[in-house]
């Protein structure tokens, strides 16, 4: 324990000091090196009594390492003043942009959030895809526009070097992934296509499919029963533009309708043969500004079912911050997309075919109808 003094006396704390005038080197009798070491913890080992303490989270990875440390919607391609100012929304609503919570997970399947300020010099640096450690201050935060309450223990790194994660991942391998980016239309030779195959993961999964129930096809714009493409907020993209697309990718996410409790996004034709370690699912989503439904993750071995709910998989799809709609700029609107991480059951291991779907089950309080939903990235990983 160190001590800090002010004109009212002594204050105890983790980082403390004492200032006394007139002290010179001649007055120093001896000094000792500190024996303090930063404790290493797993995410599950974080407790309330560690708040404001410095810890190292071990064996962690970024759940969905897409984009930058801050994938915020900071400006828009609307009016001229908004286009020219890359921080238009940040300056107008600073309370909504305090921190960007990056979902992190460890080899045991636990997850939490790493907090990054837009003022951090690495805020727009591309996320590392590997594994390692993260050292920082344990914080209890309340980020209502990311649906994170004060009961959630997060970690706040103080410097970029505290995020000791590189490109080598010793925790997981990506089995299958879709980035939901609009393809090169010249390559497919038409304005629409009917099957969306993986954009990442292992070559053995190349026949897997991502789609929505009742969907006719994919095209650049969206309408009923069509998967169109929406902007994705990427803090590492277009950082020199002044056209309102700073920090975003055009056509980097799906946008679709209609929705109900019998609608769903789904993935099919995925094999887990030979995999005997834990599986996990990562999803990056939001909805139109009015707010989205509460949804669940379900699995089956064919699209005909029987569908089984994944334990602890209920999540709320948050409404996106909107530049024009009245009521679309509130403390409950998310200025980007939210990443969700789910541990999948061992019943899906070593199977010729597994199917996963994301299905709404009800509307939350304050949401009156089903709005269009957006999907920016989806992946399935397995532990090494």
């Amino acid at each position: 324990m160190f001590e800090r003094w002010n004109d009212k006396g002594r204050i105890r704390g983790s980082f403390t000091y004492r200032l006394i005038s007139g002290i010179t080197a001649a007055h120093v009798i001896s000094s000792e090196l500190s024996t303090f070491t930063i404790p290493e913890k797993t995410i599950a080992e974080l407790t309330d009594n560690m708040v404001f303490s410095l810890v190292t989270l071990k064996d962690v990875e970024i759940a969905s390492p897409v984009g930058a440390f801050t994938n915020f919607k900071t400006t828009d391609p609307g009016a001229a003043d908004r286009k020219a100012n890359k921080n238009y929304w940040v300056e107008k609503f600073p309370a909504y942009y305090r921190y960007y919570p990056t979902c992190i997970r460890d080899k045991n399947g636990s997850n939490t959030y790493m907090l990054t300020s837009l003022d951090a010099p690495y805020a727009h640096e591309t996320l590392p895809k590997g594994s390692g450690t993260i050292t920082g201050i344990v914080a209890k935060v309340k980020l209502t526009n990311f649906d994170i309450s004060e009961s959630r223990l997060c970690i706040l790194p103080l410097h970029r070097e505290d995020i000791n994660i590189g490109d080598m991942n010793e925790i997981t391998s990506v089995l299958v992934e879709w980035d939901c980016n609009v393809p090169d239309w010249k390559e497919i030779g038409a304005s629409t296509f009917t099957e969306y195959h993986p954009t990442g993961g292992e070559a053995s999964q190349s026949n897997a499919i991502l789609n929505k129930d009742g969907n006719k096809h994919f095209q650049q714009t969206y309408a009923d029963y069509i998967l169109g493409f929406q902007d994705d907020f990427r803090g590492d993209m277009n950082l020199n533009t002044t056209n309102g697309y700073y920090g975003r990718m055009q056509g980097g996410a799906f946008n679709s309708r209609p929705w109900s409790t019998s609608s769903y996004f789904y993935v099919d034709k995925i094999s887990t043969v030979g995999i005997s370690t834990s599986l996990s699912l990562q999803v990056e989503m939001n909805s139109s500004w009015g707010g989205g439904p509460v949804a669940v993750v379900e699995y089956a071995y064919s699209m005909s079912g029987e569908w089984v709910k994944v334990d602890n998989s209920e999540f709320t799809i948050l409404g996106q911050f909107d530049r024009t709609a009245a009521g679309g700029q509130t403390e409950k609107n998310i200025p980007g997309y939210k990443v969700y991480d789910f541990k999948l059951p061992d019943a899906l291991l070593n199977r010729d075919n597994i199917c996963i779907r994301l299905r709404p089950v009800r509307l939350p309080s304050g949401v009156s109808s089903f709005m269009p939903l957006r999907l920016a990235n989806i992946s399935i990983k397995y532990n090494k």
Side-chain angles (χ1 to χ4, degrees):
M1 176 67 70
F2 296 81
E3 296 178 353
R4 173 163 59 92
W5 289 71
N6 60 20
D7 58 354
K8 296 182 181 179
R10 182 175 62 187
I11 302 172
R12 293 186 177 272
S14 299
F15 297 91
T16 56
Y17 51 87
R18 182 178 180 183
L19 297 178
I20 304 175
S21 62
I23 293 295
T24 68
H27 296 95
V28 178
I29 299 174
S30 65
S31 63
E32 295 181 358
L33 292 175
S34 171
T35 58
F36 172 75
T37 57
I38 301 173
E40 288 195 351
K41 302 290 182 182
T42 64
I43 293 174
E45 290 174 332
L46 294 177
T47 62
D48 284 356
N49 62 9
M50 296 177 188
V51 172
F52 300 126
S53 298
L54 192 66
V55 304
T56 294
L57 294 179
K58 59 184 180 180
D59 299 321
V60 294
E61 65 176 358
I62 294 168
S64 184
V66 178
F69 286 92
T70 51
N71 292 323
F72 273 134
K73 174 185 181 178
T74 58
T75 187
D76 69 66
D81 60 335
R82 299 175 182 177
K83 288 181 180 180
N85 183 358
K86 66 182 181 182
N87 288 317
Y88 177 85
W89 291 117
V90 181
E91 295 169 0
K92 193 171 181 64
F93 297 99
Y96 304 165
Y97 289 86
R98 286 175 293 159
Y99 296 104
Y100 182 83
T102 302
C103 186
I104 60 175
R105 61 189 310 277
D106 65 20
K107 67 178 183 180
N108 301 317
S110 299
N111 59 56
T112 188
Y113 296 94
M114 173 178 65
L115 307 178
T116 305
S117 168
L118 273 171
D119 294 327
Y122 56 91
H124 296 289
E125 182 179 320
T126 300
L127 291 167
K129 295 183 179 295
S131 61
T133 63
I134 299 175
T135 300
I137 303 297
V138 179
K140 292 183 76 172
V141 299
K142 188 172 185 179
L143 299 173
T144 56
N145 56 350
F146 278 89
D147 195 27
I148 299 173
S149 71
E150 288 178 318
S151 62
R152 194 65 192 258
L153 294 171
C154 303
I155 190 163
L156 175 60
L158 302 179
H159 304 281
R160 174 61 180 89
E161 53 266 31
D162 295 334
I163 307 168
N164 187 24
I165 295 177
D167 293 327
M168 183 67 69
N169 195 315
E170 298 180 353
I171 295 177
T172 61
S173 293
V174 177
L175 179 66
V176 62
E177 179 181 20
W178 287 265
D179 60 18
C180 302
N181 295 345
V182 59
D184 187 330
W185 299 100
K186 293 179 182 178
E187 286 187 7
I188 64 173
S191 60
T192 64
F193 63 103
T194 56
E195 291 190 348
Y196 199 83
H197 295 292
T199 51
E202 300 182 353
S204 60
Q205 309 299 319
S206 60
N207 291 325
I209 291 174
L210 167 63
N211 212 320
K212 181 186 181 294
D213 69 291
N215 184 55
K216 297 174 184 176
H217 52 251
F218 300 75
Q219 66 180 32
Q220 284 186 291
T221 58
Y222 82 100
D224 287 350
Y225 305 107
I226 290 171
L227 279 178
F229 290 87
Q230 181 82 17
D231 292 345
D232 184 15
F233 304 107
R234 290 278 306 264
D236 60 346
M237 299 284 293
N238 299 320
L239 301 184
N240 296 315
T241 64
T242 57
N243 60 359
Y245 283 93
Y246 175 91
R248 72 173 70 194
M249 176 186 293
Q250 291 180 264
F254 289 157
N255 197 347
S256 70
R257 66 187 189 206
W259 288 92
S260 68
T261 55
S262 59
S263 302
Y264 47 86
F265 280 125
Y266 71 89
V267 294
D268 188 18
K269 300 183 180 179
I270 298 171
S271 170
T272 61
V273 171
I275 298 176
S276 58
T277 55
S278 297
L279 293 167
S280 63
L281 171 73
Q282 295 74 40
V283 179
E284 187 178 5
M285 292 187 72
N286 71 17
S287 77
S288 294
W289 69 270
V294 176
V296 296
V297 180
E298 298 175 326
Y299 71 90
Y301 305 120
S302 74
M303 288 305 298
S304 59
E306 168 185 358
W307 291 95
V308 181
K309 177 185 173 182
V310 173
D311 291 342
N312 302 312
S313 69
E314 195 167 281
F315 66 107
T316 301
I317 303 172
L318 305 175
Q320 181 178 292
F321 192 89
D322 189 84
R323 69 178 185 268
T324 56
Q329 302 117 26
T330 75
E331 64 175 6
K332 292 186 177 180
N333 288 113
I334 184 171
Y337 291 78
K338 183 174 179 178
V339 172
Y340 308 85
D341 174 68
F342 306 99
K343 188 173 182 178
L344 296 176
D346 289 346
L348 293 173
L349 296 173
N350 205 32
R351 294 279 181 174
D352 289 326
N353 188 73
I354 65 170
C355 310
I356 304 289
R357 69 181 186 181
L358 311 172
R359 184 177 65 86
V361 291
R362 66 179 182 277
L363 293 174
S365 175
V367 177
S368 58
S369 61
F370 284 96
M371 308 288 284
L373 301 183
R374 289 82 172 261
L375 177 65
N377 195 273
I378 183 169
S379 62
I380 296 175
K381 300 177 180 179
Y382 63 94
N383 277 22
K384 290 185 174 179

